[in-house]
Amino acid sequence: MAMGRPRAFDMDEALERALQVFWRKGYEGASLTDLTEAMGINPPSLYAAFGNKEGLFHKAVERYVAERGKFWAEAMNEPTARAAVERLMRHSADFLTDKCNPGGCLLVQGALSCSDQATPVKRALANRRATGEARLRDRFERAKSDGDLPAEVDPTDLARYVMTMMEGMAIQAASGTTREALQRVVDVTLRSFPG
Amino acid sequence: MAMGRPRAFDMDEALERALQVFWRKGYEGASLTDLTEAMGINPPSLYAAFGNKEGLFHKAVERYVAERGKFWAEAMNEPTARAAVERLMRHSADFLTDKCNPGGCLLVQGALSCSDQATPVKRALANRRATGEARLRDRFERAKSDGDLPAEVDPTDLARYVMTMMEGMAIQAASGTTREALQRVVDVTLRSFPG
DNA sequence: GGAATTATATAGCGATCAATAAGAAATTAG
DNA sequence: CTAATTTCTTATTGATCGCTATATAATTCC
């Protein structure tokens, strides 16, 4: 069978550039013109490769979680709950303020509030955040049976507390708070963390 | 001089309704159609009364801070830093999840990420949040001279920590976290707060 | 080479965006 | 009453939104 004209752009690189636009402007704040210009392609190529704007966004989020979220797994593998939280928050403080990236977190600022038609996107991001919270809760449950968290600790509440802190750090980073200042916020948090 | 035709709508009530639309959908997510329908007026009336969409938004934010932010002053007047933070966070947890309101905080989700042309709005909200952080810092400085905070505490860092927590709570509330769950996050925070 | 297939570039679609022009309606001043 | 002033309703404006129809270019199969 005939194979047709070969694609003239690198899909991975185009997706990475779209990801950065969404990261900076959010789902609705990023226009197709913004996206196609950053990706170096024309609209028909975008639609042929990624479906539509929402499909492109979901693929960008998937890439974001897969590539930028690796440190979550590393953190959860630390031997104790405290070490896991410390590694998670230290890396987050660096990551959220990394000058190579737009400030903040795509999962937080990608579609926090939006028009009615974008509510599915908003919900998808909220689900991604909830997944992170669930991973923390699971890790804390394991820590309790390991004995490195006191028996009176509620893993659900502690996970929500840590997640709330990290989401707040994303807001701070998006507002221009520096890496050093964010690390001092982590200091304050860890000073009181059990273990 | 001639007084002209009297205005047929209540400006305060119209502004309140616009505020609620912005709160739910954000600055860019709220269309003029959304706004005029909620306010019960036609576009020319909106523009005559409030200038333009951005002017309306700023007036809505001003109203939001003045009316919904009263509890900040009450909290800062508590006798100790710890009591101030407890009152601030307890009220915030209730406020952010109040079923009479859209979930979350207008100052956080009003324009967290946006198109280039809305960046002035984004910056204005970041400045409002920074003002809250500064009030906390000032209160903690006073607490240090009052002796109800240890001398080794850095008021700037502690204020940033509390503000980060509150911003995270706004994200949680916007994602559907309940009042009770948010109060348990406050429990965890207060368990470690000095005083 | 010729047919089939796929990606490209150009141009433009209908819908919606924020904002307004035009004129009728409602008030006060004299 | 008339004149002046202001707000109202109606109907658009030009720009931009996400998206696509069309035709051309580039490749493979036969």
Side-chain angles (χ1 to χ4, degrees):
Chain A
M1 77 178 77
M3 295 299 280
R5 178 172 176 171
R7 187 174 277 123
F9 64 95
D10 184 296
M11 278 195 63
D12 251 39
E13 188 181 323
L15 183 57
E16 171 61 28
R17 294 191 185 176
L19 161 56
Q20 301 218 11
V21 173
F22 282 132
W23 198 345
R24 216 154 21 86
K25 303 192 174 186
Y27 174 64
E28 290 194 307
S31 71
L32 275 192
T33 304
D34 292 332
L35 292 165
T36 53
E37 278 182 1
M39 299 166 85
I41 62 177
N42 297 114
S45 299
L46 190 157
Y47 281 82
F50 302 102
N52 58 12
K53 186 186 179 183
E54 184 171 348
L56 175 63
F57 182 77
H58 288 308
K59 288 190 178 71
V61 168
E62 206 158 354
R63 180 185 178 87
Y64 178 84
V65 171
E67 298 206 347
R68 268 78 169 190
K70 283 177 192 160
F71 70 94
W72 268 80
E74 299 166 7
M76 295 303 105
N77 280 336
E78 289 284 335
T80 66
R82 183 185 170 82
V85 169
E86 170 150 23
R87 181 151 182 182
L88 187 67
M89 296 191 73
R90 293 288 179 206
H91 186 113
S92 291
D94 289 346
F95 167 70
L96 294 169
T97 56
D98 189 335
K99 291 194 172 76
C100 302
N101 297 330
C105 173
L106 176 63
L107 303 189
V108 171
Q109 69 210 22
L112 187 53
S113 61
C114 55
S115 73
D116 289 336
Q117 75 169 12
T119 40
V121 173
K122 181 175 78 173
R123 253 188 289 244
L125 292 184
N127 286 340
R128 295 273 189 181
R129 295 194 299 270
T131 298
E133 197 169 305
R135 290 179 77 177
L136 272 171
R137 185 202 56 212
D138 294 347
R139 183 63 187 81
F140 292 157
E141 270 165 5
R142 178 157 79 86
K144 277 183 73 174
S145 60
D146 287 353
D148 70 90
L149 269 186
E152 69 267 19
V153 164
D154 184 322
T156 302
D157 291 345
L158 192 58
R160 191 181 295 114
Y161 166 78
V162 172
M163 201 61 195
T164 301
M165 203 63 229
M166 302 237 302
E167 288 162 347
M169 286 166 59
I171 303 295
Q172 289 275 331
S175 316
T177 299
T178 66
R179 189 180 81 97
E180 292 75 19
L182 223 50
Q183 289 290 3
R184 285 195 293 274
V185 169
V186 178
D187 292 343
V188 176
T189 307
L190 291 174
R191 203 168 299 149
S192 66
F193 197 88
Chain B
M1 77 177 77
M3 294 300 280
R5 178 172 176 171
R7 188 175 276 123
F9 65 94
D10 184 295
M11 278 195 62
D12 251 38
E13 188 180 323
L15 183 57
E16 171 61 29
R17 293 191 186 177
L19 161 56
Q20 301 217 11
V21 173
F22 282 132
W23 198 345
R24 211 153 28 84
K25 303 191 173 186
Y27 173 65
E28 289 193 309
S31 71
L32 275 192
T33 304
D34 293 332
L35 292 165
T36 52
E37 279 182 0
M39 300 166 84
I41 61 178
N42 298 114
S45 299
L46 189 156
Y47 281 84
F50 302 102
N52 58 13
K53 187 186 178 184
E54 185 172 346
L56 175 63
F57 182 78
H58 287 310
K59 288 189 178 72
V61 168
E62 206 158 353
R63 179 185 178 88
Y64 177 84
V65 170
E67 298 205 347
R68 269 76 170 192
K70 284 176 191 161
F71 69 95
W72 268 79
E74 299 165 8
M76 296 302 106
N77 280 335
E78 288 285 335
T80 66
R82 184 186 168 83
V85 168
E86 171 151 23
R87 182 151 181 182
L88 187 67
M89 296 190 73
R90 292 289 178 205
H91 187 115
S92 291
D94 289 347
F95 167 70
L96 294 168
T97 58
D98 188 337
K99 290 194 172 74
C100 301
N101 297 330
C105 173
L106 175 63
L107 303 190
V108 171
Q109 69 210 23
L112 188 53
S113 61
C114 56
S115 74
D116 289 336
Q117 75 170 11
T119 40
V121 173
K122 181 175 78 173
R123 253 190 289 248
L125 292 184
N127 286 340
R128 296 272 188 182
R129 297 194 298 271
T131 299
E133 198 169 304
R135 289 179 77 177
L136 273 172
R137 186 202 55 213
D138 293 349
R139 182 64 187 81
F140 292 157
E141 270 165 4
R142 177 157 80 85
K144 277 184 74 174
S145 58
D146 287 352
D148 70 90
L149 268 186
E152 68 268 20
V153 165
D154 183 322
T156 301
D157 290 344
L158 191 59
R160 189 181 297 114
Y161 166 78
V162 172
M163 200 63 195
T164 301
M165 204 62 229
M166 302 239 299
E167 288 163 347
M169 287 166 59
I171 303 296
Q172 290 275 331
S175 316
T177 299
T178 66
R179 189 181 80 97
E180 292 74 20
L182 223 50
Q183 290 290 4
R184 284 196 293 275
V185 169
V186 177
D187 292 343
V188 176
T189 306
L190 291 174
R191 203 168 299 149
S192 67
F193 197 88

